[in-house]
């Protein structure tokens, strides 16, 4: 810049100068005697400053603003399909302890509500009468054995005499008959003794299974047995419980459509139907039960059929008789197309999702929806893996509109925009 110009004149100030000021400056410069090349430089500077002022004053082009939407890629996953039912917990074994012989109850050898082992003696019924029967049976058996021994000796004496014609055929027949009868009496005596000993054993009432025993139903000194009260207590095996619930015929039909046979193991699948239950405080029981039975017929009064599952209960957290909420695995949809439920719009014509094409233009895609699992919905038809769908901001969209897609960082939610 020429040295005749003021030193404090900078580019910013030149930008702020008006065209009239530039002309005035040029007029003042004319009275200054300069060389020709200096005039060229001044002219070039004036042109540059004027061009900069014109360029600054031009309006900047306005870029179109596209609506910002959150998108997520369509994914595939193995989806578990569950059903919710109301079930009842039952003991795996529930056995009534009854008196099999008649007599007065003498002793109770357990603490009510405690764990008893299989074969443990629980009650003692007065055994005196039955001990006497055993002794009587032993005596009759000994008598029969003695008679059998005598008959055998008689037969051994008659045989040689008969061979020497010293005894008649009648004598031989009588000896043989006596021998066979006496041996039959021995067998009868042995059976009577076994029966008497067995009945005597029934006076010691034992637990048929291992489990927890209830309170006693009779008091000491009560006449029990066929002629009195026979139910003494109950023993419940609760380390394993049964979960009984009912399913509808529609559930059965849907399972058959997916080639799932409820209550039966299928070697072609890598999963089996199982159930989980809810405790009284609303928490989920940590163990799972395997479905092992489904009733082959429907109850005509309720339109349902019974289903059963077995579940471990080592800590006795599940009490027989209580009701619970049952969640059952009905099916596993492998490699199913899954979309967030909040991306769906439902209308009379069906359900649709806004899909962002590679050119960032949205289209309304009608889809066929399947079951909803938590915050996601299975898409049966209409979407392919990898396509981008709008999950937030679709309320301001129209088909064919160009958008500014941003990958969503928020986890799926069941709340729609």
């Amino acid at each position: 810049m020429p040295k005749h110009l003021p030193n404090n004149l900078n580019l910013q100030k030149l930008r702020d100068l008006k065209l009239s000021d530039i002309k005035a400056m040029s007029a003042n410069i004319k009275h200054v005697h300069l060389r020709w090349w200096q005039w060229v430089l001044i002219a070039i500077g004036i042109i540059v400053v004027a061009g900069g002022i014109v360029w600054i004053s031009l309006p900047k082009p306005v870029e179109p603003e596209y609506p910002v939407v959150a998108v997520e890629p369509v994914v595939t996953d193995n989806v578990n399909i569950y059903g919710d039912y109301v079930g009842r917990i039952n003991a795996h074994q529930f056995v009534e302890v009854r008196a099999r012989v008649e007599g007065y109850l003498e002793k109770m050898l357990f603490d009510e509500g405690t764990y008893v082992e299989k074969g443990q003696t629980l009650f003692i019924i007065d055994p005196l009468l039955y001990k006497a029967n055993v002794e009587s049976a032993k005596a009759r058996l000994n008598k029969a054995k003695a008679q059998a021994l005598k008959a055998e000796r008689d037969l051994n004496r008659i045989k040689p005499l008969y061979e020497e014609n010293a005894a008649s055929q009648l004598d031989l027949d009588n000896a043989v008959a006596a021998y066979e009868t006496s041996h039959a009496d021995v067998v009868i005596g042995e059976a009577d003794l076994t029966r008497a000993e067995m009945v005597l054993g029934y006076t010691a009432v034992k637990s048929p299974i291992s489990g927890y025993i209830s309170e006693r139903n009779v008091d000491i000194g009560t006449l029990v047995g066929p002629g009195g009260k026979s139910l003494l207590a109950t023993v419940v095996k609760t380390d394993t419980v049964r979960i009984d619930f009912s399913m509808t015929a529609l559930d059965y039909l849907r399972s058959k459509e997916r080639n799932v046979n409820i209550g039966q193991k299928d070697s072609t699948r890598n999963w089996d139907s199982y159930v989980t239950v809810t405790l009284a405080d609303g928490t989920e029981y940590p163990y799972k039960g395997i479905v092992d039975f489904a009733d082959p017929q429907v109850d005509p009064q309720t339109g349902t059929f019974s289903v059963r599952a077995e579940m471990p209960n080592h800590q006795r957290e599940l009490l027989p008789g209580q009701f619970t909420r049952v969640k059952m695995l009905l099916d596993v949809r492998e490699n199913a197309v899954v979309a967030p439920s909040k991306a769906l719009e439902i209308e009379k014509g069906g359900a649709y999702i806004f899909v962002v094409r590679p050119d960032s233009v949205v289209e309304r895609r009608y889809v066929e929806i399947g079951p909803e699992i938590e915050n996601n919905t299975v898409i049966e038809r209409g979407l392919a893996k990898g396509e981008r769908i709008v999950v937030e901001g679709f309320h301001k969209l129209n088909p064919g509109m160009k958008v500014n897609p941003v990958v969503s960082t928020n986890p799926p939610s069941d709340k729609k925009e």
Side-chain angles (χ1 to χ4, degrees), residues 158 162 167-176:
I158 292 296
Y162 173 76
S168 64
Q169 180 67 43
L170 179 61
D171 294 335
L172 179 61
D173 293 341
N174 290 336
V176 172

Side-chain angles (χ1 to χ4, degrees), residues 153-381:
R153 291 172 180 172
D154 291 343
L155 180 60
N156 291 334
R157 287 195 299 268
I158 292 296
K159 281 184 178 181
L161 296 176
Y162 173 76
E163 292 174 357
E164 295 177 0
N165 293 325
S168 64
Q169 180 67 43
L170 179 61
D171 294 335
L172 179 61
D173 293 341
N174 290 336
V176 172
Y179 173 79
E180 293 178 351
T181 301
S182 62
H183 277 75
D185 290 339
V186 170
V187 174
I188 294 174
E190 290 175 345
D192 290 340
L193 178 59
T194 300
R195 181 169 56 251
E197 291 175 341
M198 185 181 299
V199 173
L200 176 61
Y202 292 156
T203 59
V205 182
K206 299 181 179 181
S207 176
I209 62 172
S210 297
Y212 288 87
I213 191 166
S214 68
E215 63 179 352
R216 68 178 186 272
N217 291 339
V218 293
D219 294 325
I220 303 300
T222 304
L223 179 64
V224 297
K229 293 183 177 180
S230 62
L231 180 59
L232 306 181
T234 55
V235 180
V236 181
K237 184 178 181 181
T238 57
D239 55 351
T240 301
V241 294
R242 296 188 316 176
I243 311 298
D244 295 317
F245 57 99
S246 297
M247 298 179 64
T248 64
L250 181 59
D251 292 329
Y252 177 79
L253 180 62
R254 289 175 176 172
S255 66
K256 294 299 292 183
E257 290 175 353
R258 295 286 301 167
N259 295 323
V260 177
N261 295 318
I262 299 174
Q264 300 180 15
K265 291 186 177 182
D266 190 348
S267 58
T268 62
R269 300 194 311 258
N270 56 5
W271 60 273
D272 290 314
S273 294
Y274 66 84
V275 301
T276 58
V277 299
T278 302
L279 299 176
D281 59 359
T283 60
E284 186 175 288
Y285 187 60
Y287 298 100
K288 298 177 181 178
I290 300 299
V291 178
D292 62 352
F293 170 77
D295 200 324
Q297 61 183 359
V298 174
D299 186 345
Q301 297 181 351
T302 61
T304 61
F305 61 97
S306 299
V307 182
R308 184 187 68 201
E310 287 193 2
M311 183 171 292
N313 187 32
H314 304 298
Q315 303 299 324
R316 297 187 66 202
E317 295 182 79
L318 304 177
L319 298 178
Q322 74 179 99
F323 288 92
T324 183
R325 186 173 69 87
V326 179
K327 185 177 181 181
M328 176 181 172
L329 177 63
L330 298 174
D331 190 14
V332 176
R333 303 286 294 276
E334 297 180 352
N335 297 323
V337 176
V338 180
S341 299
K342 65 178 182 179
L344 284 166
E345 280 290 321
I346 309 296
E347 59 180 21
K348 292 183 179 179
Y352 65 87
I353 292 179
F354 280 104
V355 180
V356 180
R357 300 195 311 231
D359 58 359
S360 298
V361 175
V362 297
E363 65 174 88
R364 178 181 294 173
R365 184 84 58 82
Y366 282 90
V367 295
E368 180 181 341
I369 61 175
E372 183 175 0
I373 296 88
E374 295 181 352
N375 299 325
N376 297 324
T377 300
V378 175
I379 306 299
E380 303 286 1
R381 293 182 181 85

Side-chain angles (χ1 to χ4, degrees), residues 11-26:
L11 181 60
Q12 183 63 36
K13 291 184 177 181
L14 286 175
R15 291 178 180 176
D16 296 336
L17 291 177
K18 296 181 180 179
L19 186 59
S20 59
D21 296 334
I22 296 174
K23 291 180 178 180
M25 186 184 299
S26 301

Side-chain angles (χ1 to χ4, degrees), residues 9 44 47 63 65 67 80 126 162 200 222 228 248 285 311 359 361-362 386 403 408 410:
L9 187 63
I44 293 174
I47 293 173
E63 296 183 1
E65 294 185 1
N80 295 342
D126 183 8
Y162 173 76
L200 176 61
T222 304
T248 64
Y285 187 60
M311 183 171 292
D359 58 359
V361 175
V362 297
V403 296
S408 174
N410 298 325

Side-chain angles (χ1 to χ4, degrees), residues 55-67:
W55 179 79
I56 294 174
S57 62
L58 290 176
K60 294 182 179 180
V62 180
E63 296 183 1
E65 294 185 1
Y66 301 118

